[in-house]
């Protein structure tokens, strides 16, 4: 289709040359009655149309022919525009889809390094720059050149001196145009930077709108925005100012070129050295190739921008996919669910290659067991989970799932076997039903409600005006922290995985409900196998004490491990925490119980 567009552009440019030639013949031969000095096909056409005698009395035939040919040229121009835009839209659409797909498969370590706003820009405005260039500029590059290439021999054949005069300013016009657009590149860039900075301010403000309100920073924010906005306006104005100069100066140059043709033509005609017809043909030609040619600089500038955009887009496409370096997975398409045995053996890991976030971590969990992980923030608990999900690949040691080396298992398969609830769960701005069903889209309504009940959130949802159809707002803002966590939990439960991981997932839920949920989870087991392995990261020891095994992480190392009883009987972090937390509970006494009740709708009886 793109080739068709270019062909149509060439045809439209070529057919445009016929009207001046016809006008010339009509004036010189038909009206004035001079010798016919025209290409053979025009002679043939005149004979066919009835000779000069007929034509001189029917001048409309010449006019109509010009109109008809212009119309044909117009049809080609239309086809050019249409095909070029269809082709470039298709290219842009495919490119965006490819980028999006690629982004889904890039490893987390890639996303850690790049700026989200920048990625968004690459996928939207950079693709758009390429699209615009393909749609309008590429086919334009050739147009002026082709027009000149076709017109020049014709003009030379008609009158060589005049041809020289009619093209003498082309050099300066093209030169000026190119120089100009090279020089204002920076102005363009500054304008774009100002625009980007304004948009970034807007986005940041909207994301943090609650913080802004809470700290009564609206005036400050408005002022900040106004400054960026004014800068953008200034840059834009400056650009427009320079552009006005360019267009008027280059118009002046072009008009000078037209003026030269008029003057010289008038001179030659008055001395009878050139016919009126030839003069008018020259006049029409010069107007044809002049105007597209003065845009050459613009096209070159756009070409430069597109090249930059293409390389920015390529940066993304060149990044290695998550599965790129995977050797042949041992069990690429394992269909049977795993039993849920997890073994870590001397695992060390660092995000950046320098600082080890996990050091020599070893532990094992048998199928159906519950492992509790405790540790100060930053000790590497979440990292441990990331490794298990193969969001990052461990560098030293070995992780085994049911005895199989994790690195050799297919990522998709691993993730299908694990349900995770993160501390700050992500909800889509869809209905609660859709959010929960994300766990398993084929689940029935009954199964969904069962999962919500296990997560102790069913009653709260029922209480909403539209129940499960309630839209939760962007990232779930219309839910309380605890509700959000429990909806995410329901989602993971509905997935019905052999391994369930709660990464501080109930931190915003009160202690009593947390224990109810954990007990419900214990009773609940995956449908396919009898038992579910559970990893719980939490800070409340009352939550952890029931676990089959507890490990305590500190600065990436396991400093203690065992059951609640064994850990209580040895000096260390666990016992210190226990002392602090239990004395805290004692101090709070009955108030704790009371405040539990009032927070977060936890007290709804679960009627499922
Ligand atoms: P925890 O969950 O125990 O609070 P994390 O596992 O989240 O701890 O973090 C452990 C350490 O790893 C922290 O020091 C943190 O700064 C670092 N870290 C976490 N995520 C990244 C990342 N994406 N890139 C680099 N460092 C990270
Ligand atoms: Mg964490």
């Amino acid at each position: 289709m793109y080739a068709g567009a270019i062909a149509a552009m060439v045809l439209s440019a070529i057919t445009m040359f016929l009207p001046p030639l016809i006008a010339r013949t009509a004036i010189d031969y038909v009206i004035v009655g001079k010798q016919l000095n025209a290409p053979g096909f025009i002679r043939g056409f005149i004979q066919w149309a009835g000779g000069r005698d007929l034509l001189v009395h029917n001048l409309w035939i010449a006019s109509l022919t010009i109109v008809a040919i212009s119309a044909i040229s117009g049809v080609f121009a239309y086809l050019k525009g249409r095909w070029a835009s269809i082709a470039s839209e298709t290219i842009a659409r495919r490119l965006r889809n490819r980028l999006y797909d690629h982004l889904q498969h890039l490893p987390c370590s890639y996303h850690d390094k790049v700026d989200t706003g920048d990625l968004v820009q690459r996928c939207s405005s950079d693709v758009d720059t390429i699209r615009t260039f393909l749609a309008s500029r590429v086919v334009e590059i050739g147009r002026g050149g082709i027009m000149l290439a076709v017109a020049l021999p014709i003009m030379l054949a008609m009158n060589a001196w005049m041809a020289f005069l009619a093209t003498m300013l082309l050099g300066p016009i093209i030169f000026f145009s190119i120089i100009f657009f090279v020089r204002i590149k920076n102005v363009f860039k500054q304008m774009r930077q100002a625009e980007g900075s304004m948009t970034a301010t807007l986005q940041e403000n909207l994301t943090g709108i609650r913080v802004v309100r809470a700290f009564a920073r609206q005036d400050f924010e408005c002022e900040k925005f106004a400054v960026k906005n004014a800068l953008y306006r200034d840059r834009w104005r400056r650009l427009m100012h320079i552009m006005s100069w360019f267009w008027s100066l280059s118009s002046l140059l072009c008009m000078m070129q037209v003026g030269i043709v008029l003057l010289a033509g008038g001179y030659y005609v008055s001395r009878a050295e050139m016919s009126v017809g030839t003069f008018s043909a020259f006049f029409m030609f010069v107007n044809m190739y002049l105007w597209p040619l003065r845009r050459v600089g613009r096209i070159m500038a756009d070409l430069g921008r597109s090249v930059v955009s293409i390389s920015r887009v390529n940066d993304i496409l060149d990044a290695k996919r998550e599965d790129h370096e995977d050797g042949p997975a041992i069990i690429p398409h394992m269909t049977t669910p795993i039993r849920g045995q997890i073994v870590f053996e001397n695992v060390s890991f660092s995000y950046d290659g320098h600082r080890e976030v996990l050091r020599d971590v070893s532990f094992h969990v048998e199928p159906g067991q519950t492992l509790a992980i405790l540790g100060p923030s930053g000790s590497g608990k979440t990292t441990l989970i990331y490794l298990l999900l193969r969001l990052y690949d461990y560098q030293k040691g070995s992780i085994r799932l049911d005895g199989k080396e994790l690195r050799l298992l297919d990522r998709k398969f691993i993730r299908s076997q694990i349900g995770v609830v993160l501390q700050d769960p992500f909800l889509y701005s869809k209905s609660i039903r859709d959010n929960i069903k994300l766990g398993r889209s084929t689940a029935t309504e009954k199964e969904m409600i069962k999962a919500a009940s296990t997560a102790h959130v069913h009653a709260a949802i029922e209480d909403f005006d539209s129940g499960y159809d309630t839209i939760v707002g962007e990232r779930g803002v219309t839910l309380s922290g605890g509700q959000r966590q429990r909806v995410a939990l329901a989602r993971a439960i509905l997935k019905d995985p052999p391994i369930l991981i709660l990464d501080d997932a109930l931190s915003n839920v009160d202690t009593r409900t947390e224990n109810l949920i954990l007990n419900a989870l214990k009773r609940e087991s995956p449908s396919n196998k009898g038992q579910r392995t559970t990893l719980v990261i939490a800070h409340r020891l009352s939550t952890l004490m029931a676990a089959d095994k507890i490990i305590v992480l500190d600065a990436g190392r396991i400093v203690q491990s065992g059951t609640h009883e064994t850990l209580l009987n040895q000096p260390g972090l666990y016992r210190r925490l226990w002392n602090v937390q239990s004395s805290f509970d004692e101090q709070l006494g009955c108030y704790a119980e009371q405040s539990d009740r009032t927070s977060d709708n936890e007290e709804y009886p679960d009627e499922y």
Side-chain angles (χ1 to χ4, degrees):
M1 194 158 274
Y2 212 74
I6 291 175
M9 181 274 290
V10 172
L11 286 176
S12 127
I14 290 176
T15 41
M16 283 291 282
F17 284 96
L18 292 174
L21 294 178
I22 294 169
R24 175 179 179 234
T25 314
I27 294 169
D28 285 355
Y29 172 67
V30 178
I31 300 175
V32 180
K34 284 179 59 162
Q35 273 285 350
L36 182 59
N37 175 22
F41 70 94
I42 293 189
R43 287 167 187 276
F45 181 74
I46 289 171
Q47 289 311 319
W48 174 79
R52 188 194 163 218
D53 293 338
L54 180 84
L55 289 176
V56 78
H57 293 113
N58 293 287
L59 275 177
W60 59 269
I61 294 182
S63 316
L64 208 64
T65 312
I66 289 179
V67 171
I69 290 176
S70 302
I72 291 172
S73 173
V75 168
F76 283 131
Y78 165 79
L79 287 178
K80 174 206 84 176
R82 183 163 168 71
W83 287 344
S85 66
I86 292 179
S88 55
E89 296 297 339
T90 310
I91 292 171
R93 181 180 58 85
R94 288 211 190 131
L95 187 57
R96 276 193 297 262
N97 275 346
R98 221 177 112 195
L99 278 169
Y100 193 77
D101 177 74
H102 200 70
L103 285 175
Q104 301 309 303
H105 291 98
L106 287 176
C108 293
S109 52
Y110 177 85
H111 289 285
D112 287 348
K113 279 181 291 198
V114 296
D115 184 20
T116 311
D118 186 56
L119 279 188
V120 170
Q121 198 167 33
R122 284 172 196 236
C123 294
S124 52
S125 61
D126 279 312
V127 171
D128 215 50
T129 306
I130 300 171
R131 181 190 60 82
T132 318
F133 185 74
L134 288 176
S136 56
R137 301 286 181 245
V138 168
V139 280
E140 225 172 82
I141 292 178
R143 216 164 79 101
I146 288 178
M147 291 209 158
L148 187 63
V150 179
L152 204 58
I154 302 179
M155 293 196 302
L156 281 171
M158 290 194 301
N159 186 329
W161 256 111
M162 188 66 183
F164 168 71
L165 290 175
T167 50
M168 64 183 274
L169 282 187
L170 281 187
I173 289 171
I174 294 173
F175 184 72
F176 174 58
S177 158
I178 292 176
I179 293 296
F180 175 82
F181 278 102
V182 168
R183 307 243 0 211
I184 68 155
K185 216 161 110 184
N186 272 335
V187 186
F188 254 117
K189 205 162 139 194
Q190 282 170 358
M191 191 272 291
R192 250 162 241 290
Q193 272 167 356
E195 186 186 6
S197 147
M198 184 182 76
T199 324
T201 309
L202 183 68
Q203 194 197 350
E204 193 183 57
N205 176 282
L206 291 179
T207 319
I209 199 134
R210 283 172 192 78
V211 181
V212 172
R213 297 280 159 85
F215 285 84
R217 299 267 287 179
Q218 279 120 312
D219 291 343
F220 172 81
E221 287 289 321
C222 286
E223 223 163 87
K224 193 166 89 181
F225 183 75
V227 170
K228 307 257 175 180
N229 195 5
L231 184 72
Y232 176 53
R233 179 208 51 193
D234 291 344
R235 299 253 165 103
W236 187 238
R237 242 193 217 170
R238 180 153 164 249
L239 183 68
M240 284 301 112
H241 180 76
I242 301 176
M243 291 296 265
S244 319
W245 269 106
F246 170 75
W247 292 121
S248 32
L249 277 179
S250 70
S251 287
L252 185 67
L253 273 175
C254 289
M255 289 317 286
M256 274 161 72
Q257 177 65 83
V258 173
I260 290 173
V261 170
L262 270 178
L263 270 179
Y267 174 76
Y268 284 130
V269 170
S270 69
R271 295 181 48 152
E273 283 171 23
M274 189 165 68
S275 66
V276 178
T278 308
F279 173 43
S280 74
F282 263 103
F283 188 70
M284 289 166 91
F285 277 144
V286 77
N287 272 310
M288 243 187 248
Y289 57 70
L290 200 54
W291 305 103
L293 279 177
R294 76 168 176 160
R295 304 180 69 92
V296 163
R298 178 73 199 257
I299 294 170
M300 306 271 281
D302 284 353
L303 177 68
R305 274 193 24 222
S306 301
V307 168
V308 171
S309 289
I310 287 172
S311 82
R312 279 165 56 82
V313 165
N314 263 343
D315 278 351
I316 299 179
L317 293 177
D318 283 345
K320 297 267 182 294
R321 283 180 172 234
E322 200 171 50
D323 41 18
H324 177 79
E325 273 158 20
D326 281 7
I330 297 184
I331 311 151
H333 305 293
M334 202 151 84
T335 43
T336 48
I338 54 171
R339 290 180 305 124
Q341 187 205 41
I342 303 169
V343 177
F344 271 59
E345 211 174 82
N346 306 107
V347 173
S348 295
F349 172 78
S350 91
Y351 282 102
D352 50 12
H354 308 296
R355 194 172 58 98
E356 285 199 328
V357 171
L358 288 179
R359 270 176 285 183
D360 215 12
V361 170
S362 303
F363 64 86
H364 63 97
V365 193
E366 295 307 318
Q369 277 191 335
T370 299
L371 173 78
I373 306 172
L374 178 75
S377 113
S379 55
K381 306 179 296 291
T382 302
T383 307
L384 205 113
I385 305 305
Y386 286 167
L387 293 188
L388 193 56
L389 285 165
R390 277 199 77 190
L391 288 174
Y392 296 87
D393 267 337
Y394 48 104
Q395 290 130 351
K396 279 185 227 146
S398 151
I399 301 179
R400 288 190 296 276
L401 206 57
D402 275 17
K404 291 171 192 94
E405 189 67 35
L406 197 70
R407 205 185 280 118
L408 299 173
L409 292 177
D410 183 46
R411 283 193 174 80
K412 248 194 190 144
F413 173 74
I414 296 172
R415 292 168 195 170
S416 72
Q417 299 298 306
I418 302 178
V420 203
V421 190
L422 298 173
Q423 176 173 22
D424 188 15
F426 182 88
L427 297 186
Y428 287 91
S429 54
K430 296 200 265 185
S431 66
I432 294 180
R433 171 180 287 103
D434 289 342
N435 267 298
I436 296 182
K437 281 201 173 172
L438 206 72
R440 182 155 51 93
S441 48
T442 53
T444 61
E445 190 76 5
K446 211 170 154 195
E447 287 171 319
M448 181 192 68
I449 293 177
K450 183 154 175 268
S453 304
T454 310
H456 275 249
V457 70
H458 174 66
I461 295 172
E462 288 280 86
D463 213 39
F464 291 140
D465 284 343
S466 353
Y468 280 90
D469 292 316
T470 310
I471 304 290
V472 300
E474 206 177 3
R475 284 171 168 258
V477 281
T478 54
L479 298 184
S480 80
Q483 286 165 347
R484 206 154 49 216
Q485 286 185 329
R486 282 174 294 157
V487 167
L489 178 62
R491 178 161 80 189
I493 294 172
L494 191 65
K495 187 173 171 183
D496 196 21
I499 298 177
L500 182 68
I501 300 174
L502 308 181
D503 182 358
D504 223 357
L506 298 172
S507 57
N508 292 332
V509 177
D510 66 280
T511 321
R512 235 177 54 85
T513 317
E514 185 178 10
N515 284 326
L516 287 175
I517 293 174
L518 290 175
N519 285 333
L521 272 176
K522 260 215 153 90
R523 289 194 301 272
E524 176 77 12
S525 52
S527 44
N528 32 48
K529 287 264 169 183
Q531 51 215 173
R532 171 181 288 151
T533 309
T534 313
L535 264 56
V536 186
I537 297 175
H539 290 291
R540 290 187 203 120
L541 298 188
S542 55
T543 309
L544 303 180
M545 49 193 276
D548 298 303
K549 195 170 181 180
I550 301 169
I551 59 177
V552 183
L553 268 182
D554 192 14
R557 282 182 191 282
I558 296 186
V559 289
Q560 281 183 293
S561 73
T563 59
H564 174 67
E565 279 71 32
T566 54
L567 289 180
L568 259 195
N569 289 327
Q570 46 178 256
L573 196 66
Y574 192 86
R575 194 157 78 182
R576 282 209 306 281
L577 263 173
W578 176 259
N579 288 337
V580 172
Q581 288 194 6
S582 45
S583 73
F584 188 63
D585 286 347
E586 269 163 33
Q587 279 173 25
L588 282 179
C590 56
Y591 297 113
E593 181 76 3
Q594 222 172 0
S595 69
D596 275 358
R597 289 225 169 129
T598 46
S599 70
D600 238 14
N601 303 337
E602 322 307 354
E603 271 319 287
Y604 285 98
D606 218 66
E607 57 294 288
Y608 189 80

